[in-house]
Amino acid sequence: MDDTSERDGGPRPTPRVARPVMHHRWSDITFLHWRYPAALIQSMLPDSLTVETFDGTAWIGMTPFVMEDVRAAGLPALPWLSRFPETNLRTYVRDDRGRSGIWFLSLDAGRLPAALGGRAGYGLPYFWSDMSVRIAGALTQYRCRRTWPGPSGARCDVDVERDTASWDGDELAWFLTARFRLFTKMANRLASAEIEHEPWPLHRAALIRLDQSLLQAGGLPAPDDDPILHASPGVPVRVGMWSW
């Protein structure tokens, strides 16, 4: 399969979402990525999507973070509903129009209304999980235990230590993090939404502990190697309307 990475010397330009339907902030995020055979990941995608590769392999990302200031356009954020942990399992794809984006294998949220809304309103494979994020200096500890709809008990416990110095990133970091479109299937049709945010302020990070089964719950074999890590304090985000 051809390498479809963009090697433009920098991150992809972010789109401008003129009429956002959702505002939020992705905070205290860690990107964990593993290589997987492109043919394996392609077999898990809808026919209308093609896996994107970097140096000949596909990539699966696990991204634990905190969702903050979540609100619909024109409405205030509600204190209890607007902040919760989330962990996403994702890969990178392009559609038949050549547009790059993210395809989610799963999204675990620490609020049941968020999981229900993501499933019903956006067609995304959300799960409700018991989750927490604890930060002590450079150490960030993520905890996730899936509750509903299953497989119950699928987990992701991650401890990482983030460098204090910022980092400009490299081609692989941009390929894995500079993504500005989400894909989903709604009523058996492929839909997408643009995402607007500034380039991630990246930091290097070291893995202290990892105990996970979300990859296996998503239908993937357990990885043989440690993941590649990137971290960021986060960015504010504007999400556009789904389109076909």
Side-chain angles (χ1 to χ4, degrees):
M1 190 169 294
D2 292 337
D3 189 1
T4 57
S5 65
E6 295 192 12
R7 299 175 178 274
D8 57 3
R12 302 171 185 180
T14 181
R16 297 299 173 187
V17 176
R19 296 182 178 179
V21 297
M22 185 70 67
H23 300 258
H24 54 261
R25 179 180 175 86
W26 290 325
S27 296
D28 300 310
I29 189 168
T30 298
F31 301 89
L32 301 93
H33 281 97
W34 292 267
R35 294 177 180 269
Y36 276 88
L40 171 63
I41 305 307
Q42 184 64 51
S43 71
M44 303 174 71
L45 300 176
D47 292 341
S48 49
L49 292 176
T50 301
V51 66
E52 286 195 330
T53 61
F54 189 97
D55 289 342
T57 63
W59 293 80
I60 294 291
M62 184 183 292
T63 56
F65 61 99
V66 179
M67 285 277 278
E68 294 188 303
D69 300 325
V70 181
R71 63 181 180 87
L75 296 176
L78 300 176
W80 184 79
L81 288 174
S82 66
R83 187 180 191 277
F84 52 88
E86 187 163 318
T87 297
N88 297 340
L89 195 64
R90 65 195 215 174
T91 193
Y92 308 110
V93 298
R94 68 180 188 274
D95 65 6
D96 55 11
R97 296 160 61 182
R99 300 178 301 176
S100 294
I102 294 171
W103 178 261
F104 291 106
L105 280 68
S106 65
L107 306 93
D108 286 75
R111 291 282 186 268
L112 178 57
L116 293 174
R119 280 183 170 264
Y122 297 96
L124 293 170
Y126 262 98
F127 297 82
W128 177 36
S129 295
D130 181 15
M131 305 180 74
S132 66
V133 178
R134 295 183 175 88
I135 301 173
L139 180 66
T140 304
Q141 297 177 305
Y142 306 95
R143 298 292 181 266
C144 173
R145 288 289 187 282
R146 185 172 291 172
T147 302
W148 177 88
S152 179
R155 67 191 182 280
C156 177
D157 294 350
V158 184
D159 295 354
V160 298
E161 188 170 2
R162 188 175 75 195
D163 280 359
T164 57
S166 61
W167 177 52
D168 290 337
D170 54 21
E171 290 181 358
L172 178 57
W174 298 323
F175 175 84
L176 297 174
T177 65
R179 296 285 167 168
F180 303 104
R181 183 177 298 275
L182 310 177
F183 290 103
T184 189
K185 290 199 77 173
M186 301 177 70
N188 293 320
R189 297 173 62 194
L190 186 71
S192 69
E194 286 192 331
I195 307 298
E196 177 188 335
H197 64 77
E198 295 304 313
W200 290 100
L202 291 176
H203 295 249
R204 290 186 171 91
L207 183 65
I208 306 302
R209 175 176 180 262
L210 174 62
D211 180 14
Q212 72 80 33
S213 59
L214 292 186
L215 289 165
Q216 297 92 310
L220 293 161
D224 295 325
D225 301 318
D226 288 337
I228 292 173
L229 267 65
H230 306 92
S232 177
V235 291
V237 179
R238 290 154 54 97
V239 183
M241 179 72 73
W242 290 114
S243 61
W244 286 264

